[in-house]
């Protein structure tokens, strides 16, 4: 594991390195100057917060879930919006960001992973950006990015677009409307950029070190609700690495995932569609495997005889689960195959089918809960 000094000495991406190290200094002294001059005012703080929300969700719902993972589709207006909103976060062009991110998913925790956590927390957080990276501009593999004219335009003029949308725009708004040019630039521009940077970086560092692994422990990604709170829902990273094309990162209604809510709202407006959701039986199955893994390893420590007894008990519950899961999958297939016109014609049948789906879904949840109870019982005895 190499430290900051090593990455500093071997750095070859100087524009990015200087930007990352100088912006926090400018933010700190600029904010002190702003306060010292008695310029503090609420409208500038509100503007900064609005910019933080717009640029933050531009990265999460736009750069990440739309462009990198294609977890849903959206019309050109939405694509333009996210390209500009995410672009104002100073995290590079959509193409650069997405190409790196796709490799992160494919080669997670390996030497090819651009933000490989095994190189250390600091590296995964942002030292990786000190080095130039060769990116795979393969039109076959990444044609959706590298053949898209809008994205190529953004990539070409990235610096100008970011400077205008991230620094000049908030400065102009605060300056023209309430005379706070300095606050617009420093607080809503630079300070907000620094905060947004490190919140995004935390996904690659914090969420690969701390948190729970309910779906898989084959990789370092973790669910961390605390980080999710500051990153518009992206903290549920164990789920995300398991089901990367799902437009959701959190699946429970009480889990904080505003990026998901935003995408859902866009779909209700008819400007986003084809929101990809992982079938619930798949999610349950993954969760069950993890629970079984944890429990059997604990029981195995107490002896083989107890382990085989436990497995027999668990298998029974698993069969019930599988039966419900199969029924649900079959029903969903039928549900999805029907064309909308046909759906209207057969509304009554349609409704019955939906009701049955709900029943099977309930059965599935019950079977899963029974499995969890059995697993706990076996372990406690
Ligand atoms: Zn990750
Ligand atoms: Zn991802």
């Amino acid at each position: 594991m190499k430290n900051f000094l090593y990455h500093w000495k071997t750095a070859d991406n100087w524009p990015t390195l200087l930007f990352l190290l100088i912006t926090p200094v400018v933010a700190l002294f600029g904010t002190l100057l702003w306060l010292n001059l008695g310029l503090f005012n609420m409208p500038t703080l509100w503007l900064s917060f609005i910019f933080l929300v717009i640029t933050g969700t531009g990265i999460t719902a736009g750069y990440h879930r739309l462009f990198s993972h294609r977890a849903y589709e959206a019309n050109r207006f939405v694509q333009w919006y996210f390209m500009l909103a995410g672009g104002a976060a100073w995290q590079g062009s959509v193409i650069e960001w997405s190409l790196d991110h796709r490799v992160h998913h494919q080669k997670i925790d390996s030497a090819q992973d651009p933000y490989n956590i095994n190189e250390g927390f600091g590296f995964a957080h942002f030292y990786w950006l000190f080095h130039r990276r060769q990116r795979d501009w393969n039109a076959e593999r990444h044609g959706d990015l590298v053949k898209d004219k809008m994205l190529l335009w953004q990539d070409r003029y990235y610096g100008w677009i970011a400077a205008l949308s991230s620094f000049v725009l908030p400065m102009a708004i605060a300056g023209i409307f309430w005379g706070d040019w300095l606050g617009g630039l420093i607080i809503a521009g630079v300070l907000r950029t620094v905060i947004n940077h490190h919140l995004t970086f935390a996904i690659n560092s914090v969420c690969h070190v701390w948190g729970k692994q309910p779906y898989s422990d084959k990789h370092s990604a973790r669910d961390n609700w605390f980080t999710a709170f500051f990153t518009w829902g992206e903290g549920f990273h164990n789920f995300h690495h398991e089901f990367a094309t799902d437009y959701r990162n959190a699946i429970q209604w009480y889990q904080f995932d505003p990026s998901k809510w935003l995408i859902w709202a866009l779909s209700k407006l008819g400007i986003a569609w084809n929101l990809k959701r992982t079938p619930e039986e798949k999610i349950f199955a993954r969760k069950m495997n993890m629970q079984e893994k944890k429990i059997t390893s604990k029981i195995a420590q107490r002896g083989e005889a107890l382990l085989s007894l436990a497995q027999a008990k668990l298998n029974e519950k698993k069969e019930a689960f599988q039966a419900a899961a199969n029924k649900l999958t079959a029903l969903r297939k039928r549900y999805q195959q029907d064309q909308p016109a046909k759906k209207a014609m057969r509304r009554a049948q349609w409704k019955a089918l939906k009701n049955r789906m709900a029943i099977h879904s309930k059965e599935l949840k019950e079977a899963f809960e029974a499995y969890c109870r059995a697993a706990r019982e076996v372990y406690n005895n």
Side-chain angles (χ1 to χ4, degrees), residues 267-343:
S267 79
K268 289 294 151 198
L269 292 172
I271 51 179
W273 56 89
N274 198 10
L275 276 49
K276 296 197 183 94
R277 298 165 70 102
T278 316
E280 55 186 320
E281 61 272 28
K282 266 197 185 164
I283 298 173
F284 280 143
R286 208 62 66 85
K287 230 176 167 176
M288 210 160 76
N289 283 346
M290 266 310 282
Q291 295 210 331
E292 189 175 4
K293 205 170 164 184
K294 278 184 208 156
I295 278 165
T296 47
S297 83
K298 278 182 187 169
I299 296 172
Q301 292 165 4
R302 302 198 197 166
E304 285 299 313
L306 191 63
L307 183 64
S308 59
L309 191 80
Q311 263 161 352
K313 226 177 175 183
L314 290 180
N315 281 344
E316 209 179 283
K317 301 288 174 197
K318 262 165 82 179
E319 268 165 36
F321 167 83
Q322 202 51 55
N326 290 346
K327 271 193 238 166
L328 188 62
T329 308
L331 271 176
R332 190 182 299 104
K333 251 190 200 150
R334 266 178 60 194
Y335 181 83
Q336 282 165 347
Q337 272 163 3
D338 272 349
Q339 302 302 318
K342 228 174 164 188
K343 282 179 193 172

XYZ file of all heavy atoms in Angstrom, residues 267-343:
619
model
N -39.967 9.469 -14.618
C -40.727 8.465 -15.373
C -42.225 8.776 -15.319
O -42.955 8.554 -16.272
C -40.440 7.055 -14.846
O -41.179 6.804 -13.668
N -42.672 9.335 -14.189
C -44.092 9.695 -14.078
C -44.419 10.875 -14.998
O -45.551 11.047 -15.436
C -44.454 10.058 -12.627
C -44.471 8.858 -11.697
C -45.588 7.882 -12.047
C -45.198 6.473 -11.661
N -45.977 5.424 -12.288
N -43.409 11.705 -15.272
C -43.605 12.825 -16.200
C -43.513 12.361 -17.652
O -43.709 13.154 -18.580
C -42.544 13.911 -15.956
C -42.629 14.671 -14.637
C -41.414 15.574 -14.461
C -43.913 15.502 -14.583
N -43.135 11.098 -17.832
C -43.061 10.543 -19.182
C -41.767 10.874 -19.911
O -41.648 10.620 -21.112
N -40.774 11.435 -19.205
C -39.524 11.799 -19.890
C -38.395 10.820 -19.556
O -37.278 10.973 -20.025
C -39.109 13.264 -19.602
C -39.115 13.553 -18.103
C -40.025 14.220 -20.342
C -38.699 14.969 -17.759
N -38.691 9.818 -18.726
C -37.750 8.710 -18.499
C -38.592 7.436 -18.507
O -39.767 7.462 -18.164
C -37.036 8.858 -17.172
N -38.005 6.326 -18.956
C -38.779 5.093 -19.043
C -37.848 3.894 -18.952
O -36.629 4.053 -18.839
C -39.577 5.064 -20.353
C -38.719 5.217 -21.563
C -38.112 4.226 -22.267
C -38.340 6.454 -22.191
N -37.386 4.751 -23.301
C -37.502 6.123 -23.284
C -38.625 7.795 -21.949
C -36.943 7.092 -24.123
C -38.062 8.755 -22.782
C -37.243 8.394 -23.858
N -38.448 2.718 -19.004
C -37.686 1.473 -18.929
C -36.786 1.432 -17.686
O -35.603 1.085 -17.776
C -36.864 1.293 -20.215
C -36.397 -0.147 -20.391
O -36.831 -1.034 -19.654
N -35.501 -0.384 -21.322
N -37.344 1.792 -16.550
C -36.604 1.760 -15.294
C -36.348 0.303 -14.920
O -37.289 -0.461 -14.735
C -37.430 2.436 -14.181
C -37.345 3.952 -14.053
C -37.530 4.671 -15.365
C -38.318 4.465 -13.017
N -35.089 -0.081 -14.845
C -34.781 -1.499 -14.614
C -34.819 -1.830 -13.121
O -34.202 -1.147 -12.314
C -33.407 -1.826 -15.188
C -33.356 -1.652 -16.692
C -32.170 -2.349 -17.307
C -32.105 -2.086 -18.794
N -31.257 -0.945 -19.160
N -35.576 -2.874 -12.808
C -35.678 -3.346 -11.420
C -35.307 -4.815 -11.380
O -35.760 -5.582 -12.217
C -37.115 -3.216 -10.914
C -37.648 -1.822 -10.873
C -39.153 -1.872 -10.729
N -39.504 -2.349 -9.407
C -39.900 -1.550 -8.429
N -40.022 -0.274 -8.624
N -40.191 -2.038 -7.245
N -34.510 -5.211 -10.396
C -34.169 -6.614 -10.247
C -35.374 -7.339 -9.658
O -35.953 -6.851 -8.682
C -32.979 -6.764 -9.276
O -32.017 -5.778 -9.612
C -32.369 -8.145 -9.366
N -35.791 -8.488 -10.246
C -36.923 -9.222 -9.668
C -36.670 -9.521 -8.189
O -35.550 -9.876 -7.815
C -36.959 -10.515 -10.476
C -36.273 -10.197 -11.745
C -35.254 -9.153 -11.433
N -37.735 -9.379 -7.376
C -37.518 -9.486 -5.930
C -37.035 -10.862 -5.501
O -36.282 -10.979 -4.534
C -38.759 -9.068 -5.149
C -40.012 -9.820 -5.525
C -41.234 -9.237 -4.816
O -41.114 -8.888 -3.636
O -42.285 -9.154 -5.451
N -37.441 -11.916 -6.253
C -36.991 -13.245 -5.842
C -35.479 -13.392 -5.983
O -34.827 -14.088 -5.217
C -37.735 -14.352 -6.596
C -37.593 -14.378 -8.106
C -38.641 -13.519 -8.807
O -39.100 -12.535 -8.207
O -38.979 -13.830 -9.964
N -34.905 -12.680 -6.955
C -33.444 -12.710 -7.121
C -32.752 -12.024 -5.946
O -31.729 -12.495 -5.456
C -33.053 -11.970 -8.409
C -32.917 -12.870 -9.596
C -32.141 -12.154 -10.681
C -32.103 -12.996 -11.936
N -31.708 -12.230 -13.097
N -33.337 -10.905 -5.532
C -32.751 -10.157 -4.410
C -32.822 -10.993 -3.131
O -31.847 -11.136 -2.402
C -33.481 -8.809 -4.214
C -33.315 -7.946 -5.465
C -32.961 -8.074 -2.992
C -34.127 -6.676 -5.463
N -34.002 -11.598 -2.910
C -34.171 -12.457 -1.728
C -33.177 -13.612 -1.752
O -32.580 -13.956 -0.745
C -35.575 -13.028 -1.673
C -36.594 -12.073 -1.138
C -37.872 -12.045 -1.664
C -36.285 -11.215 -0.102
C -38.829 -11.181 -1.172
C -37.230 -10.341 0.403
C -38.496 -10.327 -0.134
N -33.043 -14.241 -2.933
C -32.174 -15.422 -3.043
C -30.744 -15.048 -2.667
O -30.067 -15.782 -1.933
C -32.222 -15.987 -4.455
N -30.302 -13.887 -3.143
C -28.941 -13.447 -2.849
C -28.771 -13.216 -1.354
O -27.785 -13.588 -0.753
C -28.674 -12.157 -3.631
C -27.236 -11.896 -3.995
C -26.629 -12.953 -4.895
N -27.207 -13.002 -6.209
C -26.844 -12.231 -7.239
N -25.881 -11.367 -7.093
N -27.420 -12.364 -8.407
N -29.800 -12.609 -0.765
C -29.757 -12.322 0.679
C -29.717 -13.615 1.482
O -29.004 -13.734 2.470
C -31.026 -11.540 1.043
C -30.757 -10.289 1.843
C -32.063 -9.569 2.034
C -31.934 -8.488 3.078
N -33.178 -7.738 3.201
N -30.521 -14.585 1.009
C -30.615 -15.864 1.703
C -29.267 -16.587 1.660
O -28.825 -17.143 2.663
C -31.687 -16.698 1.022
C -32.370 -17.643 1.939
S -33.947 -18.153 1.251
C -33.419 -19.281 0.027
N -28.636 -16.562 0.494
C -27.325 -17.204 0.366
C -26.331 -16.633 1.361
O -25.572 -17.374 1.982
C -26.761 -17.019 -1.047
C -27.418 -17.950 -2.012
O -28.091 -18.900 -1.605
N -27.262 -17.673 -3.289
N -26.357 -15.314 1.499
C -25.413 -14.665 2.417
C -25.700 -15.083 3.856
O -24.791 -15.362 4.627
C -25.519 -13.147 2.304
C -24.556 -12.516 1.349
S -22.853 -13.023 1.573
C -22.393 -12.028 2.982
N -27.005 -15.141 4.208
C -27.358 -15.521 5.581
C -26.938 -16.957 5.843
O -26.413 -17.274 6.908
C -28.856 -15.372 5.774
C -29.264 -13.933 5.666
C -30.467 -13.626 6.495
O -31.294 -14.487 6.727
N -30.592 -12.402 6.931
N -27.159 -17.800 4.854
C -26.805 -19.210 5.011
C -25.292 -19.348 5.203
O -24.827 -20.102 6.051
C -27.248 -19.992 3.771
C -27.110 -21.479 3.969
C -27.649 -22.273 2.795
O -28.060 -21.671 1.795
O -27.633 -23.505 2.903
N -24.569 -18.591 4.400
C -23.106 -18.635 4.469
C -22.617 -18.276 5.875
O -21.790 -18.972 6.462
C -22.551 -17.639 3.448
C -21.170 -17.962 2.969
C -20.830 -17.064 1.809
C -19.348 -17.077 1.563
N -18.974 -16.144 0.518
N -23.176 -17.182 6.404
C -22.753 -16.722 7.736
C -23.097 -17.757 8.788
O -22.281 -18.105 9.637
C -23.463 -15.405 8.086
C -22.801 -14.191 7.471
C -23.516 -12.933 7.949
C -23.411 -11.826 6.922
N -24.471 -10.842 7.014
N -24.330 -18.255 8.711
C -24.808 -19.170 9.748
C -24.093 -20.507 9.685
O -23.639 -21.026 10.707
C -26.338 -19.300 9.657
C -26.935 -18.105 10.396
C -26.830 -20.596 10.254
C -28.358 -17.882 10.104
N -23.952 -21.063 8.494
C -23.308 -22.378 8.417
C -21.837 -22.304 8.844
O -21.337 -23.232 9.467
C -23.411 -23.001 7.008
O -23.063 -22.016 6.060
C -24.784 -23.530 6.724
N -21.186 -21.187 8.562
C -19.782 -21.114 8.992
C -19.698 -21.069 10.522
O -18.783 -21.613 11.118
C -19.066 -19.940 8.343
O -19.320 -18.771 9.058
N -20.688 -20.417 11.141
C -20.693 -20.363 12.609
C -21.010 -21.744 13.189
O -20.406 -22.175 14.166
C -21.733 -19.357 13.104
C -21.213 -17.922 13.063
C -22.247 -16.972 13.605
C -21.814 -15.531 13.424
N -22.921 -14.601 13.704
N -22.007 -22.412 12.585
C -22.406 -23.730 13.106
C -21.298 -24.757 12.875
O -21.055 -25.621 13.725
C -23.724 -24.195 12.447
C -24.852 -23.238 12.840
C -24.095 -25.601 12.885
C -26.136 -23.483 12.117
N -20.627 -24.642 11.745
C -19.580 -25.618 11.409
C -18.505 -25.661 12.489
O -17.909 -26.717 12.739
C -18.958 -25.271 10.063
N -18.311 -24.509 13.145
C -17.295 -24.485 14.221
C -17.681 -25.399 15.381
O -16.843 -25.804 16.176
C -17.116 -23.055 14.749
C -16.484 -22.125 13.737
C -16.645 -20.661 14.111
O -17.166 -20.331 15.164
N -16.195 -19.794 13.227
N -18.968 -25.712 15.497
C -19.417 -26.549 16.617
C -19.469 -28.029 16.259
O -19.903 -28.839 17.053
C -20.811 -26.119 17.050
C -20.882 -24.681 17.462
C -22.139 -24.525 18.253
N -22.532 -23.144 18.373
C -23.735 -22.785 18.787
N -24.641 -23.703 19.066
N -24.028 -21.524 18.910
N -19.151 -28.366 15.033
C -19.095 -29.793 14.686
C -19.930 -30.141 13.473
O -20.926 -29.478 13.186
N -19.513 -31.162 12.787
C -20.139 -31.602 11.540
C -21.581 -32.070 11.740
O -22.448 -31.799 10.923
C -19.321 -32.735 10.917
C -18.037 -32.265 10.259
C -18.292 -31.279 9.120
O -19.170 -31.542 8.280
O -17.617 -30.223 9.101
N -21.821 -32.802 12.842
C -23.153 -33.402 13.074
C -24.204 -32.307 13.135
O -25.248 -32.382 12.482
C -23.143 -34.208 14.357
N -23.894 -31.257 13.890
C -24.836 -30.149 14.049
C -25.066 -29.436 12.709
O -26.176 -29.047 12.369
C -24.279 -29.168 15.086
C -25.255 -28.086 15.554
C -26.439 -28.698 16.262
C -24.561 -27.078 16.450
N -23.990 -29.341 11.940
C -24.081 -28.661 10.648
C -25.037 -29.382 9.697
O -25.890 -28.767 9.072
C -22.691 -28.546 10.017
C -22.656 -27.793 8.681
C -23.065 -26.348 8.852
C -21.269 -27.859 8.052
N -24.913 -30.703 9.612
C -25.787 -31.430 8.677
C -27.237 -31.361 9.138
O -28.152 -31.284 8.330
C -25.310 -32.875 8.490
O -25.306 -33.515 9.721
N -27.445 -31.361 10.439
C -28.799 -31.229 10.988
C -29.378 -29.856 10.593
O -30.518 -29.749 10.146
C -28.725 -31.350 12.517
C -30.062 -31.491 13.227
C -30.546 -32.942 13.126
C -29.936 -31.096 14.703
N -28.556 -28.854 10.738
C -28.989 -27.494 10.408
C -29.311 -27.375 8.930
O -30.324 -26.784 8.543
C -27.894 -26.512 10.785
N -28.473 -27.973 8.112
C -28.681 -27.850 6.678
C -29.983 -28.515 6.233
O -30.682 -27.991 5.380
C -27.484 -28.411 5.923
C -26.554 -27.273 5.539
C -25.150 -27.707 5.210
O -24.805 -28.872 5.402
N -24.362 -26.785 4.734
N -30.292 -29.660 6.850
C -31.539 -30.339 6.510
C -32.731 -29.428 6.808
O -33.662 -29.296 6.017
C -31.646 -31.640 7.290
N -32.685 -28.777 7.943
C -33.759 -27.891 8.366
C -33.882 -26.688 7.416
O -34.975 -26.301 7.029
C -33.452 -27.391 9.777
C -34.645 -27.462 10.698
C -34.247 -27.031 12.069
C -35.457 -26.991 12.977
N -35.134 -26.503 14.301
N -32.741 -26.142 7.059
C -32.743 -24.962 6.190
C -33.185 -25.311 4.767
O -33.894 -24.539 4.132
C -31.358 -24.323 6.163
C -30.908 -23.636 7.448
C -29.516 -23.055 7.288
C -31.874 -22.534 7.834
N -32.794 -26.495 4.298
C -33.149 -26.896 2.939
C -34.654 -26.965 2.746
O -35.183 -26.582 1.697
C -32.519 -28.243 2.596
C -31.049 -28.056 2.241
O -30.619 -26.936 1.967
N -30.288 -29.133 2.272
N -35.334 -27.448 3.767
C -36.790 -27.536 3.735
C -37.397 -26.145 3.478
O -38.244 -25.971 2.617
C -37.234 -28.035 5.111
C -38.501 -28.831 5.142
C -38.739 -29.252 6.579
O -38.067 -30.201 7.060
O -39.572 -28.591 7.227
N -36.904 -25.170 4.219
C -37.403 -23.797 4.069
C -37.015 -23.223 2.700
O -37.760 -22.472 2.101
C -36.828 -22.896 5.166
C -37.162 -23.343 6.562
C -38.613 -23.096 6.881
C -38.958 -23.673 8.233
N -40.409 -23.832 8.425
N -35.835 -23.599 2.266
C -35.372 -23.077 0.986
C -36.240 -23.578 -0.163
O -36.473 -22.867 -1.127
C -33.912 -23.492 0.746
C -32.945 -22.409 1.099
C -31.534 -22.919 1.218
C -30.845 -23.050 -0.094
N -29.456 -23.527 0.096
N -36.713 -24.826 -0.034
C -37.574 -25.380 -1.084
C -38.876 -24.591 -1.190
O -39.345 -24.289 -2.289
C -37.855 -26.851 -0.806
C -36.840 -27.753 -1.484
C -36.868 -29.170 -0.945
O -37.976 -29.651 -0.615
O -35.782 -29.763 -0.841
N -39.443 -24.269 -0.034
C -40.682 -23.480 -0.023
C -40.433 -22.134 -0.705
O -41.254 -21.659 -1.495
C -41.145 -23.264 1.407
N -39.293 -21.570 -0.408
C -38.930 -20.281 -1.003
C -38.813 -20.415 -2.517
O -39.355 -19.626 -3.281
C -37.594 -19.816 -0.402
C -36.972 -18.671 -1.141
C -37.373 -17.373 -0.887
C -36.000 -18.890 -2.105
C -36.815 -16.310 -1.578
C -35.438 -17.845 -2.809
C -35.842 -16.553 -2.534
N -38.118 -21.448 -2.965
C -37.869 -21.637 -4.390
C -39.184 -21.822 -5.153
O -39.361 -21.297 -6.248
C -36.935 -22.836 -4.595
C -36.198 -22.822 -5.918
C -35.488 -21.489 -6.172
O -34.698 -21.042 -5.356
N -35.805 -20.843 -7.278
N -40.122 -22.577 -4.534
C -41.412 -22.810 -5.188
C -42.139 -21.486 -5.424
O -42.641 -21.215 -6.519
C -42.249 -23.751 -4.335
N -42.162 -20.658 -4.381
C -42.833 -19.357 -4.506
C -42.112 -18.482 -5.532
O -42.743 -17.797 -6.340
C -42.879 -18.657 -3.153
N -40.782 -18.531 -5.501
C -39.989 -17.713 -6.423
C -40.261 -18.125 -7.864
O -40.443 -17.265 -8.735
C -38.506 -17.846 -6.101
N -40.312 -19.423 -8.139
C -40.557 -19.898 -9.501
C -41.919 -19.437 -10.010
O -42.058 -19.010 -11.155
C -40.495 -21.423 -9.559
C -39.065 -21.906 -9.361
O -38.123 -21.115 -9.437
N -38.902 -23.188 -9.081
N -42.934 -19.547 -9.138
C -44.282 -19.137 -9.536
C -44.305 -17.659 -9.890
O -44.895 -17.239 -10.889
C -45.260 -19.389 -8.372
C -45.864 -20.784 -8.389
C -47.028 -20.840 -7.438
C -46.820 -21.918 -6.392
N -47.747 -21.818 -5.258
N -43.635 -16.885 -9.074
C -43.607 -15.445 -9.297
C -42.901 -15.101 -10.615
O -43.377 -14.263 -11.387
C -42.903 -14.755 -8.122
C -42.971 -13.234 -8.113
C -44.408 -12.754 -8.018
C -42.178 -12.670 -6.936
N -41.777 -15.777 -10.885
C -41.037 -15.521 -12.130
C -41.908 -15.842 -13.346
O -41.969 -15.061 -14.297
C -39.753 -16.389 -12.173
O -39.039 -16.175 -10.966
C -38.877 -16.027 -13.345
N -42.592 -16.994 -13.289
C -43.438 -17.401 -14.414
C -44.551 -16.381 -14.643
O -44.822 -15.977 -15.776
C -44.023 -18.777 -14.133
N -45.178 -15.956 -13.541
C -46.264 -14.984 -13.661
C -45.769 -13.665 -14.224
O -46.414 -13.065 -15.075
C -46.865 -14.726 -12.276
C -47.990 -15.641 -11.875
C -48.405 -15.338 -10.447
C -49.190 -15.405 -12.795
N -44.607 -13.230 -13.775
C -44.086 -11.944 -14.248
C -43.816 -12.007 -15.743
O -44.046 -11.051 -16.471
C -42.841 -11.533 -13.480
C -42.462 -10.084 -13.810
C -41.219 -9.571 -13.138
N -41.329 -9.580 -11.696
C -40.755 -10.470 -10.923
N -40.038 -11.427 -11.476
N -40.876 -10.429 -9.637
N -43.309 -13.130 -16.204
C -43.040 -13.290 -17.632
C -44.313 -13.085 -18.438
O -44.342 -12.365 -19.431
C -42.479 -14.691 -17.881
C -41.014 -14.626 -18.248
C -40.516 -15.961 -18.725
C -39.000 -15.996 -18.593
N -38.485 -17.313 -18.339
N -45.378 -13.738 -17.990
C -46.661 -13.593 -18.684
C -47.116 -12.136 -18.671
O -47.588 -11.603 -19.665
C -47.717 -14.445 -17.982
C -47.863 -15.815 -18.613
C -48.880 -16.642 -17.872
N -50.210 -16.058 -17.848
C -51.182 -16.469 -17.031
N -50.956 -17.478 -16.206
N -52.358 -15.916 -17.057
N -46.947 -11.529 -17.533
C -47.368 -10.142 -17.327
C -46.640 -9.202 -18.275
O -47.216 -8.313 -18.870
C -47.072 -9.787 -15.871
C -47.457 -8.397 -15.426
C -48.762 -8.114 -15.040
C -46.517 -7.391 -15.335
C -49.104 -6.862 -14.608
C -46.851 -6.121 -14.893
C -48.150 -5.867 -14.539
O -48.494 -4.610 -14.096
N -45.318 -9.464 -18.428
C -44.510 -8.569 -19.262
C -44.698 -8.810 -20.756
O -44.518 -7.898 -21.560
C -43.026 -8.705 -18.898
C -42.697 -7.960 -17.618
C -41.360 -8.365 -17.031
O -40.765 -9.361 -17.434
N -40.897 -7.611 -16.057
N -45.046 -10.057 -21.113
C -45.161 -10.369 -22.531
C -46.381 -9.743 -23.178
O -46.371 -9.430 -24.362
C -45.164 -11.884 -22.729
C -43.761 -12.445 -22.865
C -43.724 -13.940 -22.661
O -44.766 -14.559 -22.473
N -42.548 -14.510 -22.695
N -47.422 -9.563 -22.420
C -48.655 -9.016 -22.995
C -48.471 -7.579 -23.475
O -47.893 -6.753 -22.777
C -49.786 -9.073 -21.961
C -50.492 -10.417 -22.034
O -50.241 -11.156 -22.997
O -51.278 -10.727 -21.124
N -48.978 -7.305 -24.661
C -48.894 -5.956 -25.222
C -49.933 -5.058 -24.546
O -50.961 -5.546 -24.092
C -49.191 -5.995 -26.730
C -48.261 -6.887 -27.512
C -46.802 -6.471 -27.346
O -46.504 -5.296 -27.365
N -45.920 -7.433 -27.169
N -49.667 -3.743 -24.522
C -50.625 -2.830 -23.875
C -52.041 -2.952 -24.438
O -53.021 -2.905 -23.686
C -50.046 -1.445 -24.157
C -48.600 -1.678 -24.400
C -48.465 -3.053 -24.968
N -52.166 -3.133 -25.783
C -53.503 -3.224 -26.386
C -54.251 -4.447 -25.840
O -55.424 -4.367 -25.483
C -53.374 -3.331 -27.904
N -53.516 -5.520 -25.762
C -54.089 -6.756 -25.260
C -54.480 -6.589 -23.787
O -55.504 -7.088 -23.330
C -53.045 -7.869 -25.383
C -53.580 -9.138 -26.013
C -52.446 -10.080 -26.212
C -52.924 -11.478 -26.475
N -51.800 -12.415 -26.490
N -53.637 -5.849 -23.093
C -53.878 -5.627 -21.675
C -55.232 -4.947 -21.475
O -55.996 -5.310 -20.597
C -52.787 -4.739 -21.067
C -51.491 -5.487 -20.796
C -50.445 -4.541 -20.217
C -49.073 -5.219 -20.255
N -47.984 -4.319 -19.902
